[in-house]
Amino acid sequence: MTIETIQTDFRRKVGESVRLAGEGVNRYRVFTPFLFEDGDHLAVVLKYEDGRWVLSDEGHTYMHLTYDLDEKDLQKGNRQKIITNALSVFSVEDREGELRLVIPEEQFGDGLFSFIQAILKISDVSYLTRERVRSTFLEDFHSFMEATVPVARRTFDWRDAQHDPAGKYSVDCRLNGMLKPIMVFALPGDDRVRDATISLLQFERWQIPHRSLAIFEDQEEVNRKVLARFSDVCEKQFSTLGANKDRIAAYLLEAMQA
Amino acid sequence: MAEVLTDTKIAALIAEAKPLPEDYIRRVQTKPKRGHRERELDLVGANGSGFRLILRESSFNALDFSVILAWLPPQSTNPFRLRRYNGRSHEHTNALESQKFYQFHMHLATERYQQSGLREDAFAEPTTRYHDFAGALRCLLQDCGFELPPNRQSGLFEAEGVQ
């Protein structure tokens, strides 16, 4: 099949605006009207390898997606499902990040049609990139504690210097000046809840006198099992900061006066 | 919808001085991923703005690369792409001008493309200023207010090179 015939077949199946341009030996750039959302066209190369014609994106599609997404995110969750499905439906191979389609029995037009469909489907994962408003919870917690507790009565990021010089079991804020200091934890998510659980268990083990208080960013978002384990070791909890500032302040003031 | 940045604000962010760290050459060496190499370097501008230098180069095609300067808005996790210097691996179409070309090209963030509901950097201009990844990086650093560390005031990559 000549390159002119291949181009004609491409045009017949995909569109009149498809064209080919030679780039090296047995290698052609395939120009199509299909775009990513930023105006860049899909990258498609037709090359002759090991006795067969192959369409390839030469790794461009995934690279383009990583302008907005972490490469690891393409390999998990819904994005991975969309990509796997597209590859399967259109018989496209992912070879170490290069998308490839071997032209079946000189059906160049059909091959290009499937290849473009697969890339467009895969590029849809960029629409799953949601705007996320950065949480100000930890900053808000810090400001609240500064406003509520006198500076001499609080230590942020406290650790037990004797048992824990490396600070592996730190406390977001420790209130002092009472028989049992209050360890206050600010908890934005599951990971920090787990850390706080371990810290409180360790304090028990080290027999450090203390009381404990937890303030969640949003307790309803915490995994139930994680929360259950934490509830076994934490004395007092507030489900959010914003809606409970007055209650938390009253609790802290009463505790400091005791 | 994300806030539309005016051309004035975009220009100010590009012009804001961006001191490079002492070890910046080491930190712009790209690392292999699936099908491409990549690296990112976060910086703080002289006015306190957060920026990210995003580097991508294809493992298959030396002409396929992207050197990006993004601004990191304080209240968002979505970087805003101020400039993106691309290689010659694909055509580009400027939707508002119906202009299409197949050349090395520089994407520029514009107010009018944002107002049209398009990506902030969907407008691009062809260029002959660079022909490879290192050249594109050099141009971006020259164009966007980057400042070399005090003891490295000569060429950008003359000794170590950029992969």
Side-chain angles (χ1 to χ4, degrees):
Chain A
M1 215 175 207
T2 66
I3 206 66
E4 289 76 18
T5 316
I6 292 172
Q7 182 165 280
T8 303
D9 198 37
F10 278 164
R11 288 181 170 174
R12 191 164 53 83
K13 286 289 168 61
V14 180
E16 280 301 310
S17 55
V18 175
R19 67 187 199 284
L20 290 170
E23 283 187 351
V25 179
N26 282 331
R27 186 179 186 282
Y28 299 86
R29 174 73 50 187
V30 183
F31 296 102
T32 76
F34 302 102
L35 311 170
F36 292 105
E37 58 172 340
D38 60 3
D40 282 350
H41 292 239
L42 309 186
V44 182
V45 166
L46 175 70
K47 51 189 178 183
Y48 194 70
E49 278 184 0
D50 302 326
R52 55 191 189 172
W53 287 99
V54 176
L55 287 166
S56 167
D57 77 335
E58 298 192 321
H60 182 84
T61 307
Y62 289 151
M63 187 172 85
H64 195 278
L65 288 171
T66 66
Y67 299 165
D68 293 312
L69 291 163
D70 192 317
E71 196 260 346
K72 284 181 291 194
D73 291 340
L74 299 176
Q75 297 173 53
K76 62 186 183 188
N78 285 339
R79 295 188 184 93
Q80 191 247 339
K81 282 181 195 165
I82 290 170
I83 291 171
T84 304
N85 187 50
L87 294 175
S88 168
V89 167
F90 298 107
S91 302
V92 170
E93 175 194 3
D94 175 350
R95 196 162 77 175
E96 289 302 306
E98 178 193 18
L99 302 181
R100 296 163 54 89
L101 185 145
V102 176
I103 298 294
E105 298 170 358
E106 297 199 343
Q107 295 176 47
F108 287 88
D110 289 331
L112 180 61
F113 190 83
S114 292
F115 194 63
I116 288 169
Q117 292 273 61
I119 293 180
L120 291 174
K121 197 76 187 166
I122 288 169
S123 69
D124 281 351
V125 303
S126 65
Y127 296 108
L128 295 179
T129 306
R130 288 185 295 115
E131 167 80 6
R132 297 191 301 276
V133 176
R134 181 166 284 130
S135 169
T136 58
F137 170 68
L138 292 175
E139 290 95 328
D140 293 346
F141 167 78
H142 211 274
S143 302
F144 171 76
M145 295 302 284
E146 282 180 334
T148 309
V149 181
V151 65
R153 303 287 303 268
R154 58 175 152 81
T155 306
F156 286 111
D157 299 319
W158 178 86
R159 64 185 166 80
D160 185 285
Q162 182 192 344
H163 295 97
D164 181 27
K168 284 161 64 178
Y169 306 98
S170 64
V171 176
D172 293 308
C173 188
R174 177 181 182 268
L175 272 57
N176 58 49
M178 58 277 272
L179 202 56
K180 288 184 175 181
I182 301 181
M183 311 296 197
V184 186
F185 293 91
L187 303 174
D190 289 0
D191 287 347
R192 282 293 296 139
V193 177
R194 286 192 190 94
D195 290 346
T197 305
I198 293 166
S199 293
L200 287 170
L201 287 168
Q202 195 64 282
F203 297 154
E204 280 184 17
R205 203 171 138 213
W206 288 333
Q207 298 183 331
I208 296 174
H210 69 277
R211 296 173 66 188
S212 52
L213 167 66
I215 303 171
F216 291 86
E217 181 173 9
D218 183 355
Q219 194 185 42
E220 291 182 5
E221 292 295 313
V222 176
N223 176 283
R224 286 169 60 188
K225 287 183 180 174
V226 172
L227 182 60
R229 286 193 290 266
F230 180 71
S231 299
D232 289 342
V233 294
C234 184
E235 185 181 330
K236 179 70 178 173
Q237 303 176 29
F238 288 94
S239 63
T240 61
L241 173 61
N244 289 304
K245 280 184 176 173
D246 291 346
R247 288 192 191 88
I248 299 169
Y251 179 85
L252 292 173
L253 290 174
E254 186 182 334
M256 284 189 289
Q257 288 164 2
Chain B
M1 185 178 165
E3 177 194 2
V4 171
L5 256 61
T6 63
D7 286 336
T8 307
K9 171 75 172 171
I10 290 167
L13 287 167
I14 290 171
E16 183 173 339
K18 302 169 187 71
L20 288 162
E22 285 285 339
D23 59 345
Y24 78 96
I25 289 182
R26 180 181 63 79
R27 293 169 65 183
V28 298
Q29 302 297 316
T30 56
K31 295 183 174 179
K33 295 282 180 174
R34 294 175 71 251
H36 67 275
R37 301 176 64 86
E38 67 176 53
R39 199 70 192 263
E40 296 181 0
L41 172 63
D42 284 359
L43 301 158
V44 177
N47 299 334
S49 308
F51 296 100
R52 181 169 294 158
L53 187 59
I54 302 170
L55 308 173
R56 301 284 186 268
E57 49 182 335
S58 170
S59 304
F60 300 91
N61 180 359
L63 300 183
D64 190 5
F65 55 81
S66 202
V67 179
I68 303 168
L69 171 65
W71 171 58
L72 307 176
Q75 298 302 326
S76 168
T77 54
N78 267 8
F80 181 97
R81 299 197 297 247
L82 296 164
R83 289 283 175 96
R84 173 155 56 100
Y85 291 4
N86 271 11
R88 185 175 181 271
S89 63
H90 54 269
E91 282 184 302
H92 175 81
T93 293
N94 287 325
L96 298 185
E97 294 82 1
S98 297
Q99 174 197 27
K100 185 166 71 174
F101 48 82
Y102 179 51
Q103 288 172 262
F104 294 93
H105 57 279
M106 303 186 296
H107 289 258
L108 317 173
T110 60
E111 183 178 342
R112 62 200 177 91
Y113 267 68
Q114 293 172 75
Q115 283 175 336
S116 299
L118 297 161
R119 282 298 301 245
E120 68 268 16
D121 64 346
F123 173 76
E125 290 176 344
T127 184
T128 55
R129 290 178 60 209
Y130 58 82
H131 300 92
D132 58 18
F133 173 76
L137 178 55
R138 202 176 294 122
C139 286
L140 187 96
L141 296 183
Q142 285 167 358
D143 295 348
C144 299
F146 287 89
E147 292 179 345
L148 293 177
N151 61 347
R152 297 195 64 93
Q153 290 298 331
S154 56
L156 287 171
F157 305 109
E158 73 282 358
E160 295 83 349
V162 176
Q163 281 191 329

